[in-house]
Amino acid sequence: MVRKTKEDAEITRQRIIDAAREVFLTKGVSRTSLEQIASHAGVTRGAVYWHFENKSQLFYALREQVFLPLIDRMDDTLLADIDKTNDPVADPLKRIENFLLGTIQILNDHQETRQTYEIMMTKCEYVDEFATVLQQILNNCSGMVDKLEQVYARALQKDLINPTHSPIQLAMDTHLFFSGLLHMWVKDTDGSRFRNQAHTLISSHVNLRRK
């Protein structure tokens, strides 16, 4: 009975998160109330408050469902076995390219992930209660830059990039390039400007770093 109650609670929690995504997408985050989310989810306002203290906490949970898998993919694609002689992807620059291409592929294939990115990039103002969420996003960005730096450092060891190029500068450049591409990819809803050439842009970006 306890197990069933926990399962029901998790189902309700996920229903609330799904409803928040749908309402945020149509109304924008600032114009959405928890009452509207509760109504859309078909639950009471009390049920929403049982799982989430406020709207920013709900937004954070929505965001985490996208970013936690991204962080796992980052570790697996960029760093796994990179310092071992049996490195399955011997070319560190190819690791970076695969990670960036894979992220675009996930956005193509998964509507919920794509919608969450759209909300984060175009439907939310990071002020007031959401100022702390912005800081969390910046922390995640720093983590990505750190991991990219490790891969570029490996590329430098393998003599794949110009020795005058700093791994940290290359990592920051790649992060800023990809962040900008993601923002434009999300906004390009008809796919005529950026989505249709994202793969080519990523490959060109990485190849320009080769010696």
Side-chain angles (χ1 to χ4, degrees), residues 172-185:
M172 183 64 74
D173 183 62
T174 293
H175 172 64
L176 294 175
F177 155 76
F178 194 57
S179 295
L181 178 59
L182 284 179
H183 273 81
M184 300 312 298
W185 190 98

Side-chain angles (χ1 to χ4, degrees), residues 43-76:
V43 301
T44 65
R45 185 173 62 178
V48 175
Y49 280 108
W50 175 263
H51 292 281
F52 305 101
E53 293 180 5
N54 49 48
K55 189 165 59 174
S56 62
Q57 190 180 91
L58 176 52
F59 180 87
Y60 183 73
L62 175 67
R63 178 181 165 275
E64 285 297 277
Q65 288 193 345
V66 167
F67 269 81
L68 290 180
L70 176 67
I71 292 170
D72 289 340
R73 276 193 59 250
M74 210 181 299
D75 291 336
D76 292 341

